[in-house]
Amino acid sequence: KNNITPLASLNMPFGPRISGLIIAKAGSGIETCQDLKGKRVISLKHGVAGGAYVFQTYHLMQQGIDPHKDFAEFEEGKNHDDLVLAVKVGAFDAAFIRNGILEKLVQKGTITMDEFVVLDEQTHPEFSQRHSTALYPFWFFSAASDVDAALSESVKQACLALAPEDTASQSAHINGMVEALPLDELIHAMKALQVAPYDQ
């Protein structure tokens, strides 16, 4: 849409990839994604939020579940923390959230992990956080199309030279940057869902 070129991927403490969770309240009887049919579910902005809509919706549609048709309610919330708390108090049966949110709220003492069930939980040797969906590239440092190629390459090399202990990495809460990860799987998911910019 904006004709930018990814130069490097941010390498977060959990790695350079992101994933989504589908959570339900423990003891609710919701154990698998098929149990979500006819339930009240909340996510972030439909058609836009990667880690709290796109990843989960694509994951469910691969199983023959259309959130917009098969849920009793499918609402939008304002932030990840609110989505978790909405499930905790029973305002919604399930929620779509990004990886790391549960761990953050446990660390803050807001929730305990045993209050929730992660549906279709996945494991990956290079991804320690709880997650339900496939892994996708996290944020990029990118260049606009009108930036001089030599300047872009110089900036890219500076990004890749960042070490986790460098001041810039510490300030940004990242472990430096790595080569830009391919976008193929993300583009495939977005095209399948016909979300912008693949909605024409």
Side-chain angles (χ1 to χ4, degrees), residues 100-128:
I101 302 300
L102 286 185
E103 289 86 347
K104 180 193 75 172
L105 292 176
V106 167
Q107 189 174 27
K108 289 172 63 177
T110 306
I111 62 167
T112 59
M113 198 66 82
D114 60 7
E115 293 179 279
F116 299 92
V117 174
V118 176
L119 307 186
D120 285 3
E121 186 160 12
Q122 311 288 316
T123 58
H124 192 281
E126 297 177 1
F127 196 82
S128 61

Side-chain angles (χ1 to χ4, degrees), residues 5-194:
T5 301
L7 301 179
S9 291
L10 298 191
N11 190 19
M12 306 304 292
F14 52 82
R17 293 175 175 83
I18 185 175
S19 186
L21 285 77
I22 304 171
I23 62 167
K25 191 172 183 177
S28 66
I30 301 173
E31 301 291 340
T32 72
C33 286
Q34 294 296 328
D35 297 329
L36 293 174
K37 293 179 178 178
K39 297 298 193 293
R40 297 164 299 135
V41 183
I42 189 168
S43 74
L44 292 186
K45 191 168 179 61
H46 293 176
V48 176
Y53 172 84
V54 172
F55 303 163
Q56 294 89 341
T57 301
Y58 180 61
H59 178 80
L60 291 174
M61 291 187 78
Q62 289 178 300
Q63 301 182 47
I65 303 169
D66 185 339
H68 294 281
K69 296 178 180 178
D70 296 328
F71 295 167
E73 296 178 33
F74 191 30
E75 302 294 333
E76 295 181 8
K78 293 185 177 180
N79 62 67
H80 288 284
D81 292 10
D82 287 351
L83 270 55
V84 175
L85 297 178
V87 172
K88 178 178 179 177
V89 302
F92 285 87
D93 299 307
F96 296 174
I97 60 171
R98 180 176 65 76
N99 65 281
I101 302 300
L102 286 185
E103 289 86 347
K104 180 193 75 172
L105 292 176
V106 167
Q107 189 174 27
K108 289 172 63 177
T110 306
I111 62 167
T112 59
M113 198 66 82
D114 60 7
E115 293 179 279
F116 299 92
V117 174
V118 176
L119 307 186
D120 285 3
E121 186 160 12
Q122 311 288 316
T123 58
H124 192 281
E126 297 177 1
F127 196 82
S128 61
Q129 293 184 334
R130 302 188 73 177
H131 62 291
S132 302
T133 75
L135 305 182
Y136 297 93
F138 200 55
W139 295 333
F140 295 98
F141 193 98
S142 304
S145 59
D146 59 351
V147 174
D148 177 75
L151 176 59
S152 290
E153 181 61 24
S154 176
V155 171
K156 174 182 176 178
Q157 293 309 317
C159 288
L160 296 178
L162 281 174
E165 62 272 13
D166 288 344
T167 301
S169 294
Q170 295 287 319
S171 297
H173 306 290
I174 61 175
N175 290 343
M177 299 188 197
V178 298
E179 287 282 352
L181 299 178
L183 286 163
D184 301 21
E185 289 301 316
L186 178 58
I187 291 172
H188 182 75
M190 294 172 72
K191 285 182 175 179
L193 298 181
Q194 296 183 318

